Amino acid sequence: MNIRTRLTLLFVLLVASIVLLFTVSVYYLYDQFREQEFQQRLQEKAFTTIRLREDVGEVPQDDLPVITNEQVTVYNKQGRVLFNQGNQRPRFPVTPDFLRKITLRQFQYVRIGDLEAVGVLYLNVRGEKVLIVASGNDRYGLTKLVRLREILFSGWLLSLIIVGISGYLFATDALRPVAELITQVNAISATNIHKRLSVGRPRDELADLARTFNDLLTRLEEAFVLQKSFVSHASHELRTPLTVMMGQIEVTRLQARTTEEYEVAFDALLDEVKSMIRLVNGLLELARANSDIITLNYQPVRIDELLWQAQSLIVSKKPDYQIDIDFDNLPVQEEELVILGEESLLQTAFQNLMENGCKYSPDNRMSVRILFKPGKIILTFSDHGYGISSSDIVHIFEPFYRSESTMTINGHGIGLALTQRIIELHNGTIDVESTVGEGTTFRISLPTSSPLKKPALQSGEGEVV
């Protein structure tokens, strides 16, 4: 059952219940009014009959107000019939219990079928108490009641039809913006993901839904573009060493070579394999930083120890690299060196910055400074290398981006993108300042005073699939 039909049915049921309650109330109240009005008429008939009889004797029935099937019977306290209008046998069965309940203050009423009777107590001219039972059939009142029932029931059925049509039109109008949204959403695909939804009523809940969906489309578009760029660059970066390897193997197979020449060819192939391994490891680290946030294991770690470990790993692989680590100011307590973080990811980020500083400096040297401020630790990674131009500095954190001046240096353009993502995962910030020909400084700020909150992964933040 669709929403339009459900809304129509609910609307019809609600209004039908209200109208039905109203019609039943009207019918019940009118029935009570008719009953009370007929009781009053029966009482007046009883008193009028007994008073006229005492004054003038037997009174012709036509001289009194006429009630259909009327009958007035007078009883004494013992229940014996003293007078019966028209000397007819009482049509209404009167029980002794009914007569006992009649008092001066309270009359008795009873109804059997279409006949209704009222019993009243009267003191005659001799001071005797007599019981008068007046009965009759309220033919006109009951006829009106039946007619009212027919009118109310017919009106209720007619109102159901009107309400059903009105409810359907109301639901159709209310859901028209939803149908328009569905049409617009169905028209959006990978080829026109830049399109956005529009709503004619800008201030209702559907407009909020459209804006939320547009925000989702924006994130999806960013993720889609980044994914295409990632796949394209990753394919290109992987294809280059594979092409080199295939060319070397083909050249080597063209003719027989000496053992030394084969060793040289194998060494070149080994270098390409190592380059591919570094690229794949970088891709895996980038994918992990973007996709496996929930599984990251945040533990207390010392920043200085991570820096020393990163320095040791780099120097062991590149003995000619020189990395100086020093404190701008010493912490008051040793606990100020500790932050909550993922040790392996932080170490990877520090290694990337250290290795880049040495790799892009003619003297293969860079320095790391540690500064302590209330609630945060600031790390600066500085080198005196080639520097980064203003046109390139806005792109350095994009995956696989490499400036023309660094094309001759080994690398894949993954390190800085990975480093930025790792710092974001630790609620930190990273900034860069650079002057061409003088050097580059990366500044990282990491919080220490507040508990770490894992940021939610957004679709537009470089997801790797």
Side-chain angles (χ1 to χ4, degrees), residues 251-371:
V251 171
T252 304
R253 292 185 58 196
L254 288 177
Q255 60 183 8
R257 301 180 183 274
T258 63
T259 303
E260 292 77 10
E261 290 175 333
Y262 279 119
E263 289 179 354
V264 172
F266 288 152
D267 289 340
L269 290 174
L270 182 60
D271 290 339
E272 293 298 332
V273 171
K274 290 180 179 178
S275 176
M276 290 183 62
I277 291 175
R278 287 194 298 270
L279 174 60
V280 172
N281 288 337
L283 294 176
L284 291 175
E285 289 290 342
L286 186 60
R288 182 187 176 210
N290 283 284
S291 300
D292 296 338
I293 296 177
I294 298 178
T295 62
L296 296 181
N297 183 24
Y298 290 90
Q299 298 291 336
V301 293
R302 284 181 56 124
I303 288 295
D304 57 339
E305 291 182 356
L306 289 180
L307 292 171
W308 291 113
Q309 290 173 8
Q311 179 203 45
S312 177
L313 289 173
I314 293 174
V315 172
S316 65
K317 293 188 295 182
K318 301 284 186 177
D320 56 328
Y321 285 2
Q322 297 182 30
I323 303 172
D324 299 325
I325 301 176
D326 203 355
F327 293 87
D328 278 353
N329 62 332
L330 292 176
V332 178
Q333 296 180 349
E334 188 175 349
E335 287 76 11
E336 296 182 21
L337 289 165
V338 179
I339 70 167
L340 286 175
E342 219 290 341
E343 182 176 353
S344 62
L345 288 181
L346 285 174
Q347 188 171 328
T348 298
F350 297 157
Q351 281 184 236
N352 288 338
L353 293 175
M354 290 179 181
E355 190 171 2
N356 283 351
C358 293
K359 182 166 59 175
Y360 295 107
S361 298
D363 57 357
N364 294 334
R365 185 169 185 173
M366 63 95 59
S367 62
V368 181
R369 311 290 292 180
I370 308 175
L371 174 65

Side-chain angles (χ1 to χ4, degrees), residues 60-308:
Q61 187 174 356
D62 295 337
D63 293 343
L64 298 175
V66 179
I67 299 176
T68 306
N69 293 330
E70 67 177 28
Q71 189 174 45
V72 178
T73 305
V74 180
Y75 298 86
N76 60 12
K77 291 295 291 182
Q78 289 73 32
R80 185 167 59 86
V81 176
L82 300 179
F83 168 75
N84 190 28
Q85 189 181 43
N87 295 322
Q88 299 175 357
R89 183 178 179 183
R91 300 190 188 95
F92 198 88
V94 176
T95 62
D97 183 64
F98 177 80
L99 296 176
R100 271 197 310 272
K101 293 180 180 179
I102 301 174
T103 63
L104 285 174
R105 295 183 178 181
Q106 183 177 5
F107 67 91
Q108 291 297 315
Y109 168 81
V110 66
R111 178 176 178 178
I112 300 178
D114 291 336
L115 287 178
E116 300 173 72
V118 169
V120 295
L121 182 65
Y122 178 77
L123 293 176
N124 59 20
V125 293
R126 295 183 297 276
E128 298 174 347
K129 294 180 179 180
V130 294
L131 304 174
I132 310 168
V133 177
S135 63
N137 177 260
D138 188 12
R139 185 177 65 183
Y140 301 107
L142 292 176
T143 302
K144 293 177 182 179
L145 191 64
V146 172
R147 183 58 181 167
L148 176 64
R149 182 168 64 241
E150 293 173 352
I151 294 174
L152 291 177
F153 182 73
S154 301
W156 182 72
L157 290 180
L158 180 62
S159 68
L160 287 185
I161 298 174
I162 297 174
V163 168
I165 297 174
S166 303
Y168 183 82
L169 296 176
F170 169 78
T172 301
D173 180 70
L175 294 175
R176 184 177 293 108
V178 177
E180 294 175 355
L181 286 180
I182 294 174
T183 303
Q184 295 180 53
V185 170
N186 288 332
I188 298 175
S189 62
T191 57
N192 60 348
I193 198 171
H194 60 278
K195 293 187 63 176
R196 295 296 180 265
L197 305 180
S198 60
V199 181
R201 303 168 184 171
R203 295 185 179 180
D204 59 10
E205 290 78 3
L206 289 177
D208 294 336
L209 176 62
R211 283 189 289 269
T212 303
F213 199 85
N214 285 337
D215 293 339
L216 173 62
L217 285 176
T218 300
R219 295 194 296 270
L220 288 177
E221 182 182 6
E222 294 174 357
F224 185 73
V225 172
L226 287 172
Q227 183 184 23
K228 288 181 64 177
S229 175
F230 182 89
V231 172
S232 176
H233 286 91
S235 300
H236 175 75
E237 294 293 334
L238 287 172
R239 184 175 58 185
T240 300
L242 289 173
T243 303
V244 172
M245 292 170 62
M246 184 175 66
Q248 290 178 341
I249 294 173
E250 289 176 348
V251 171
T252 304
R253 292 185 58 196
L254 288 177
Q255 60 183 8
R257 301 180 183 274
T258 63
T259 303
E260 292 77 10
E261 290 175 333
Y262 279 119
E263 289 179 354
V264 172
F266 288 152
D267 289 340
L269 290 174
L270 182 60
D271 290 339
E272 293 298 332
V273 171
K274 290 180 179 178
S275 176
M276 290 183 62
I277 291 175
R278 287 194 298 270
L279 174 60
V280 172
N281 288 337
L283 294 176
L284 291 175
E285 289 290 342
L286 186 60
R288 182 187 176 210
N290 283 284
S291 300
D292 296 338
I293 296 177
I294 298 178
T295 62
L296 296 181
N297 183 24
Y298 290 90
Q299 298 291 336
V301 293
R302 284 181 56 124
I303 288 295
D304 57 339
E305 291 182 356
L306 289 180
L307 292 171
W308 291 113

Side-chain angles (χ1 to χ4, degrees), residues 420-433:
Q420 183 190 43
R421 182 58 182 158
I422 292 173
I423 299 305
E424 289 176 351
L425 289 176
H426 292 79
N427 287 345
T429 59
I430 180 170
D431 301 308
V432 58
E433 296 177 359

Side-chain angles (χ1 to χ4, degrees), residues 6 19 27 54-55 63 123 191 195 215 218 344 367 375 396 406 414 461:
R6 190 183 302 118
V19 174
Y27 181 81
E54 289 184 345
D55 292 341
D63 293 343
L123 293 176
T191 57
K195 293 187 63 176
D215 293 339
T218 300
S344 62
S367 62
I396 61 173
T406 61
I414 297 178
E461 294 184 350

